Amino acid sequence: MKNLFDHAATTDGVTVRVSVNFLPEQSDPANNKWFWIYHIRIENASRERVQLMTRHWRITDAQGLVRHVDGEGVVGEQPVLTPGRSHDYVSGCPLTTPFGSMEGFYTFHREDGTPIEVRIPFFPLAAPATAH
C-alpha cells in the first residue's frame, strides 16, 4: 500500500502520504493551463484521537511565483482520526506553468484541544513532457 504514495512525512505519529498525477485531459498547454490531481492519505499512528481543523498549502510554479492557500478542513471535511485510522481524499491543482511544487501543513487538534502542526511533504508537479 505504501508503494502507491511517492511522498510521506510524519509528525508526532501522524503520517501524510501523497501521490500525484498529471491530467492531460484537464490541461491546455496552448493556453498555459496544466492540471494535476493529488491523493492524500493521513494515517494516525499516535495514541490519541486527532481532528484535522485547517490546511495551509504553499504552491510554487516554474517561474517562482508562490501562492499560499489556507482553509478549513480538506474538501469540505474536518475528519476525526482515532488511533490506527486513516483518511483519504483527492483534490487538484492548476498551474500556468508545466511544472511546480506543493507542500504545507495541516493543523490538527488533540483530544485536549491542543493544536499540532502536521507537515505535508514537498512534492513536485511535472507535466510528462518536462519531467526529468
Side-chain angles (χ1 to χ4, degrees):
M1 183 63 71
K2 292 175 184 168
N3 293 340
L4 297 175
F5 298 93
D6 301 320
H7 313 280
T10 302
T11 308
D12 290 347
V14 179
T15 299
V16 178
R17 299 185 190 283
V18 182
S19 176
V20 62
N21 290 291
F22 176 67
L23 285 186
E25 64 275 11
Q26 296 291 323
S27 301
D28 185 1
N31 289 306
N32 296 322
K33 294 180 183 176
W34 287 267
F35 192 80
W36 291 264
I37 60 165
Y38 54 90
H39 176 177
I40 302 273
R41 169 165 293 157
I42 304 165
E43 302 169 347
N44 183 8
S46 76
R47 293 188 173 152
E48 59 186 318
R49 180 180 64 83
V50 295
Q51 182 173 14
L52 192 156
M53 303 304 290
T54 63
R55 68 186 181 281
H56 173 81
W57 285 104
R58 177 186 164 102
I59 304 167
T60 307
D61 73 11
Q63 298 173 337
L65 178 68
V66 176
R67 278 188 302 145
H68 293 274
V69 177
D70 294 283
E72 300 225 348
V74 290
V75 294
E77 298 181 290
Q78 291 181 310
V80 173
L81 282 78
T82 55
R85 303 296 296 199
S86 65
H87 179 77
D88 287 76
Y89 74 94
V90 174
S91 192
C93 180
L95 287 181
T96 58
T97 60
F99 58 95
S101 64
M102 293 179 68
E103 62 187 319
F105 62 86
Y106 299 118
T107 300
F108 282 81
H109 284 174
R110 294 184 168 107
E111 289 182 73
D112 66 5
T114 59
I116 173 177
E117 197 171 279
V118 174
R119 189 167 78 84
I120 303 167
F122 171 94
F123 57 95
L125 303 172
T130 62
H132 297 286

